Amino acid sequence: MKKPLLLIAFVLLLMNAHGQSMLGIANSNYSGTSGLQLNPSTFVENRLNLDINLVTVGVSADNDFLYYPKDSLKFFGIKRLVDLSDNKGYFERFNFNKKDKLFNADVAALVRGLSATFHIKDHWLAIQTNVRAGVTAKDVSGSIGKFAYENDGLKFDPLQGIDFTNNGLKISSMIWSELGFTYGHKLLNNGKNYLKGAVTIKRLWGYASAFAINDGVRYNVFNDTILAITDANTQYGHSFDENIEGARYKDLVNGTGWGFDVGFTYEYRPKYDQFRYDMDGEKLEDPTENRYKLRLGVGITDIGKIKFENNTGLFDFRNASTLWQNWDTINFANVTDFDTTLSNQFFGNPGRSKKDDQYDMYLPRAISLQADYHLARQFYLNATVVQRLSPNKPALFAANYASLTPRYERDWIEVAMPISMYQYSLLRIGVGLRLGSFFIGSDRLGSLFGLADLGGMDVYTGLKFSLDRKKVKDRDGDAVSDKKDKCPTERGTWLTIGCPDKDNDGITDAQDECPTIAGLKEFNGCPDTDNDKIIDSKDDCPTEFGLAEFNGCPDKDGDKIIDSKDKCPDVAGLAALDGCPDQDNDGITDLADKCPDVAGIQQFDGCPDTDADGLTDKEDDCPNVAGPKENKGCPVIEKIEKPKEPIKVVLTQEEQEVINKVFKNLEFETGKSVIKSSSFADLDALVTLLNKKVAFKLLIDGHTDNVGKAANNLKLSQNRANAVKKYLTDRNISPLRITAKGYGLTKPIADNKTPEGRQRNRRVEFTIVE
């Protein structure tokens, strides 16, 4: 029995924390809690709405020293494997010509208890409980492995009497549990490019651990009784209670600590538009489809340590040497006996080697890279590389490997075949199977079929409860979710919160007074084509913006004549002239008036003939004095006589009163030469006076204030004087008796600086002469 015990002890000392990889399920889009320890970001936006792990168990053993050749393993060679074990059928990768070659191996176990992944909107959360165990060895020399492999152990004669050197040997073991909380979130989503990240914080409880770190040692097994060890630079430690019967849970915990995992995943989605759908006024991504063509991930896991403080010892054998005689007769009663015996052997003092009552044990830290290529439909090809990150401190060590895994996945079934290279050199072939919420697999199953050398074995299985992600429920297919749809069984629109709207005007048919014609909410769904706040059914001009007082028809110029009846729709005019303007009030529209600014007569197309000599003023060189056409409207002067100053007539009081009233009450439209009707009575009194006194002649002088341009004021004063003359001549007063003259602002009678003065200066003066 000695040989199997030695072999088991050697294998247990060569354990890497490799059992939790589960390559057949970890990279799946349905992995849920099973992918967290490879890359915690894998569960963000995956295919599961909820994943509750009930129980998962994984055990693993692997090494690059001992193996069964694949040629010795026939199809499904489990029985053959047992037969070979009974007959020393295992081999070692030991070469006498390379006695100091370094080897690795692993045995590990994982039990995942109640754990879950879920999300609240865009926030992805996970909680996990794990119990993990591992004993790891790294850079073990081939000579140590050979001694352990042979039945004779250190008495194996071919290796005796040889000086061996071993540098960098690290052996560690630990049993611990974890309570982890993970938070994940999308970091980028611009359509084709999607990035997500997650971090896990883990509370750790350590139950037992042991380690040995050798920075260099030389040894020689001289013979069956003498062992020489020189230049040893070794530390070791252990933390466990040998007497645990009846111990309570808190007595089992010998250390606590914290751990962290972090991961990022990028997805390339070249056809992301194909996986989007309309819902509730937004573009949503279809969670029932894997939208990426290529998925790239990186994870750094098991960052952290456990500080062991209970039942703990740290021992130091640096610069130590010994010649150990009769080593084959030594027996150890317990761990304490082992510690004191070694210390006494090397230092001659049973307590000298102990340095501390505590030490830190680091988790099996590793970095992983994943690439997942979506081949077609449900077929994928995954590549994963795991590289351990080895601190020069007490720690468990993850195994190095690279893998290529083709897989077929759907919501209820998944098959994967991981092909991996342990320590980047030894071929491993496995298989993973998921049926609904049950999964089972092995990353090294191929050896049983003679596909690769058998250097170890692993198996994992789990049972969980999962709910796939679904599209938002929409029974009537109107792109309004049932949760928000007020008419969930009738096809509607988002604007009407799911209720029918035949004319798509945003007003449900039940509230729409015009359900077949798109309209406005303010008019209960009826249209107002021209936006004039009058619905089309009541609008006499439904396609033209109009006014309510004209039943919706327009009056652009505001002259109270609708455009359809207005001959001048763009310019305010008079009803008597069909809406056209007459600026000078001469009864001729401006369009037909050749002199629109000055009152004229029909005979001359609206132009005035002030002196009534048959020539319009603009043709008349003497517009204020009648003259023949032959003389361009000027009178023929046969003799040049000095013009006589008009002699002012002395009027009676009654006659003067008529003149005063005309002067006082004469008013014009502001800025115009149009006489107000309030002045007509006094002017008519003047007409009566002139008819009685046929010898009287009248001087009419127009004046203005100084507001505005002088030229404009002169013209206005002349036009006003002419307007009074015309009023009198229209009432049969001979134009030869009247002289109208405008002086503009040239003859003020008051100060133009005050409003009162300017008012006095705006006047028309009347003078009776002989």
Side-chain angles (χ1 to χ4, degrees), residues 358-429:
Q358 64 181 20
Y359 60 82
D360 293 332
M361 178 68 77
Y362 287 79
L363 299 179
R365 185 168 53 195
I367 183 171
S368 64
L369 303 175
Q370 309 93 39
D372 204 56
Y373 188 73
H374 192 172
L375 296 171
R377 296 179 66 83
Q378 283 80 39
F379 292 93
Y380 300 82
L381 182 64
N382 180 270
T384 296
V385 176
V386 175
Q387 172 63 48
R388 65 181 171 225
L389 303 174
S390 305
N392 191 25
K393 298 175 182 179
L396 295 179
F397 301 100
N400 298 326
Y401 63 87
S403 68
L404 193 67
T405 305
R407 76 178 186 278
Y408 172 84
E409 71 172 34
R410 298 189 68 177
D411 53 353
W412 61 275
I413 187 172
E414 184 169 349
V415 180
M417 188 178 75
I419 303 169
S420 59
M421 298 297 290
Y422 174 74
Q423 297 295 81
Y424 304 138
S425 61
L426 300 179
L427 178 65
R428 303 288 187 256
I429 300 175

Side-chain angles (χ1 to χ4, degrees), residues 418-678:
I419 303 169
S420 59
M421 298 297 290
Y422 174 74
Q423 297 295 81
Y424 304 138
S425 61
L426 300 179
L427 178 65
R428 303 288 187 256
I429 300 175
V431 67
L433 175 64
R434 177 178 58 83
L435 292 172
S437 295
F438 172 76
F439 63 91
I440 188 171
S442 170
D443 294 341
R444 304 171 184 83
L445 195 63
S447 299
L448 298 182
F449 297 90
L451 300 177
D453 295 337
L454 178 61
M457 182 51 64
D458 81 313
V459 65
Y460 56 85
T461 185
L463 182 64
K464 59 182 181 175
F465 173 76
S466 301
L467 293 176
D468 294 348
R469 297 179 67 199
K470 304 291 185 183
K471 284 185 175 182
V472 178
K473 289 185 178 180
D474 178 18
R475 279 181 290 171
D476 53 16
D478 58 4
V480 182
S481 64
D482 289 350
K483 185 177 180 180
K484 297 181 179 180
D485 200 329
K486 291 187 176 180
C487 303
T489 60
E490 297 180 89
R491 193 177 182 88
T493 69
W494 170 240
L495 289 177
T496 56
I497 317 178
C499 290
D501 177 19
K502 294 188 188 74
D503 53 16
N504 294 315
D505 59 3
I507 303 164
T508 63
D509 292 349
Q511 298 174 323
D512 199 330
E513 293 181 2
C514 303
T516 59
I517 306 173
L520 302 173
K521 186 174 183 179
E522 61 184 301
F523 300 125
N524 299 323
C526 289
D528 174 20
T529 304
D530 52 17
N531 294 315
D532 60 3
K533 306 302 180 182
I534 303 167
I535 62 174
D536 291 355
S537 61
K538 297 180 180 180
D539 196 330
D540 289 346
C541 303
T543 60
E544 296 179 272
F545 186 92
L547 302 173
E549 62 181 303
F550 303 124
N551 294 329
C553 288
D555 174 20
K556 287 184 287 185
D557 54 17
D559 59 4
K560 306 301 181 181
I561 304 168
I562 62 174
D563 292 350
S564 62
K565 297 180 179 180
D566 195 332
K567 291 183 178 180
C568 301
D570 297 316
V571 185
L574 304 173
L577 298 176
D578 296 326
C580 288
D582 178 16
Q583 184 177 346
D584 53 14
N585 292 313
D586 59 4
I588 303 168
T589 66
D590 290 350
L591 292 176
D593 197 332
K594 293 182 179 180
C595 301
D597 298 327
V598 183
I601 57 179
Q602 189 74 37
Q603 176 184 355
F604 298 118
D605 296 325
C607 289
D609 178 14
T610 303
D611 55 12
D613 59 2
L615 289 175
T616 63
D617 289 356
K618 61 183 178 181
E619 298 174 318
D620 197 330
D621 288 349
C622 301
N624 297 313
V625 182
K629 292 182 181 179
E630 295 77 12
N631 201 34
K632 296 184 179 180
C634 290
V636 176
I637 302 175
E638 297 180 356
K639 293 181 181 180
I640 299 176
E641 295 180 359
K642 183 177 179 181
K644 295 180 181 180
E645 289 291 332
I647 300 173
K648 186 175 180 181
V649 177
V650 178
L651 301 176
T652 66
Q653 182 177 352
E654 182 181 354
E655 293 170 341
Q656 187 62 50
E657 185 65 25
V658 172
I659 299 301
N660 291 343
K661 285 186 178 181
V662 173
F663 173 76
K664 180 179 179 181
N665 297 327
L666 180 62
E667 292 184 347
F668 295 88
E669 297 288 345
T670 302
K672 297 182 180 181
S673 57
V674 178
I675 301 171
K676 289 187 176 181
S677 59
S678 60

